[in-house]
Amino acid sequence: TSLNEIRAVLETNFFGAVSMMRAVLPIMRKRRSGRIINIGSAVGFLPMPYAAAYCASKHALRGFSESLDHEVRGLGILASARAVPYFFG
């Protein structure tokens, strides 16, 4: 996997989600309520061979979401990353 391919995966799966969170947080802060649900993956905490970039992007999203939740919970905002199961076949 090239560095450019890894960057592209992170740009989409992690930085894309971070950009969306940054877009909606000011509105949620003003309302003092809201819920951010990011789409994670089981490979965010269970590694999968030949998918290092994807696993890293989902791991980063989960960590960011959990940390953000602690930062904004006092404002009535909840943030989480929900793991979508991975099915073989």
Side-chain angles (χ1 to χ4, degrees):
T1 307
S2 74
L3 191 53
N4 284 338
E5 290 171 322
I6 294 168
R7 281 192 174 118
V9 171
L10 287 167
E11 187 63 43
T12 300
N13 292 342
F14 177 67
F15 290 111
V18 170
S19 295
M20 290 303 299
M21 287 182 266
R22 290 176 49 87
V24 300
L25 274 170
I27 298 162
M28 292 180 176
R29 283 189 183 109
K30 188 174 182 178
R31 293 176 50 197
R32 297 198 59 80
S33 71
R35 172 163 272 193
I36 296 170
I37 302 172
N38 290 304
I39 305 302
S41 172
V43 299
F45 52 91
L46 297 171
M48 185 173 73
Y50 310 108
Y54 180 78
C55 293
S57 70
K58 294 301 182 174
H59 186 78
L61 183 60
R62 180 181 172 165
F64 190 94
S65 300
E66 289 177 5
S67 295
L68 179 64
D69 183 63
H70 289 284
E71 294 174 14
V72 298
R73 188 169 283 253
L75 300 172
I77 303 167
L78 303 174
S80 63
R82 297 291 177 220
V84 176
Y86 181 80
F87 298 100
F88 295 94

